[in-house]
Amino acid sequence: MIKAFIIEDESRGLENLKNLISAHCPEVEVIGEARNLKDGLSLLSSTSMNPDVAFMDINLPDGLVFSLLTQLNHINFDIIFVTAFENFAIKACEFSAIGYVMKPIDPDQLIEAVGRIRKEEDPKTAERMELFDSIYRNPNAFEKLSISAVDGIYFVNLKDIVRLEADDNYTHIFLKDNHRITASKTIKSYGELLESVNFFRVHKRHVVNLNFMQKFVKGDGGYIVMDDGKEIEVSRRRRPAFIEQIRALQANI
């Protein structure tokens, strides 16, 4: 069983989350709950409370939940934020690989978030929260990406990512030092996440860092030559938007 702790100030929201967990995530057992930061800190600091994951509302009556996390000596559990739509918070979650579900809670999103929990591994929550905090405080400073890979969690500088390639529900991420990381996330997710930081999805299987593009070969079979010599096809459907993006980059030079 996955042991879960919940911090939620609204009674209806708390009961709804517990009911959804019971109905859709039978592998999760709720072992504790709190309605505010003070009680949450007290319970999570107790040696008898050892959850695998904490579901946390971001905005609580006595402050933001982040202040609780900074007071814990060691965070050895995963985190899933439960929040109403906040652009900055959601983007920060995605870049730092922190789980989240949005209110009103979609059962499918809850199942997906719980499915990412790996009890047998070090969740590296403190490192991920540090990255989350830096992005949350400065939402335009996207410099690093937390990657939940098949063999652990990696923290990678965006400027070191050359390209990404789809492999069913996994994504291979190629770095400029020739290392490859296989992430347990789809290429679609990464394409949407990175489109604002100079990456472009040129094909259903490929996302490229435009900073590593050496040449674009036009024609019916148009393709990109990357700095590492790899040739990446640009699909016919995505070509007009890609060319427009290149023109925009040229205009900014």
Side-chain angles (χ1 to χ4, degrees), residues 133-146:
D133 187 60
S134 68
I135 297 171
Y136 188 80
R137 292 177 185 275
N138 189 359
N140 294 317
F142 300 122
E143 298 179 353
K144 217 167 190 179
L145 180 67
S146 176

Side-chain angles (χ1 to χ4, degrees), residues 162-164 198-200 202 206-210 224 226 232:
V162 177
R163 60 187 180 87
L164 303 90
N198 226 27
F199 285 75
F200 196 91
V202 296
H206 298 285
V207 172
V208 300
N209 184 341
L210 297 175
I224 297 169
M226 304 297 289
I232 305 293

Side-chain angles (χ1 to χ4, degrees), residues 71-134:
Q71 296 179 68
L72 294 173
N73 293 326
H74 182 58
I75 306 176
N76 59 353
F77 52 84
D78 219 322
I79 290 174
I80 296 176
F81 286 131
V82 183
T83 181
F85 186 77
E86 286 188 69
N87 245 335
F88 296 159
I90 299 307
K91 186 68 86 173
C93 282
E94 291 175 341
F95 269 87
S96 56
I98 295 288
Y100 70 90
V101 291
M102 292 169 56
K103 298 179 180 179
I105 298 172
D106 181 340
D108 289 337
Q109 191 180 35
L110 176 64
I111 293 168
E112 181 182 353
V114 169
R116 294 179 183 276
I117 300 169
R118 297 177 183 172
K119 288 179 58 177
E120 70 279 3
E121 294 182 4
D122 177 4
K124 295 188 178 179
T125 303
E127 294 93 330
R128 287 189 288 150
M129 279 305 305
E130 183 179 351
L131 178 56
F132 174 95
D133 187 60
S134 68

Side-chain angles (χ1 to χ4, degrees), residues 208-228:
V208 300
N209 184 341
L210 297 175
N211 294 305
F212 288 96
M213 186 178 67
Q214 187 181 104
K215 181 182 180 182
F216 173 50
V217 179
K218 298 180 180 180
D220 289 339
Y223 61 91
I224 297 169
V225 180
M226 304 297 289
D227 282 350
D228 62 1

Side-chain angles (χ1 to χ4, degrees), residues 222-241:
Y223 61 91
I224 297 169
V225 180
M226 304 297 289
D227 282 350
D228 62 1
K230 178 70 175 180
E231 295 181 358
I232 305 293
E233 179 185 356
V234 179
S235 73
R236 187 182 299 275
R237 183 170 67 86
R238 291 179 169 86
R239 198 171 305 166

Side-chain angles (χ1 to χ4, degrees), residues 91 164 171 185-197 199-203 206-208:
K91 186 68 86 173
L164 303 90
T171 301
K185 201 171 184 177
T186 64
I187 193 81
K188 180 177 184 293
S189 299
Y190 281 115
E192 294 171 350
L193 178 62
L194 298 172
E195 64 183 358
S196 63
V197 287
F199 285 75
F200 196 91
R201 191 176 182 188
V202 296
H203 187 275
H206 298 285
V207 172
V208 300

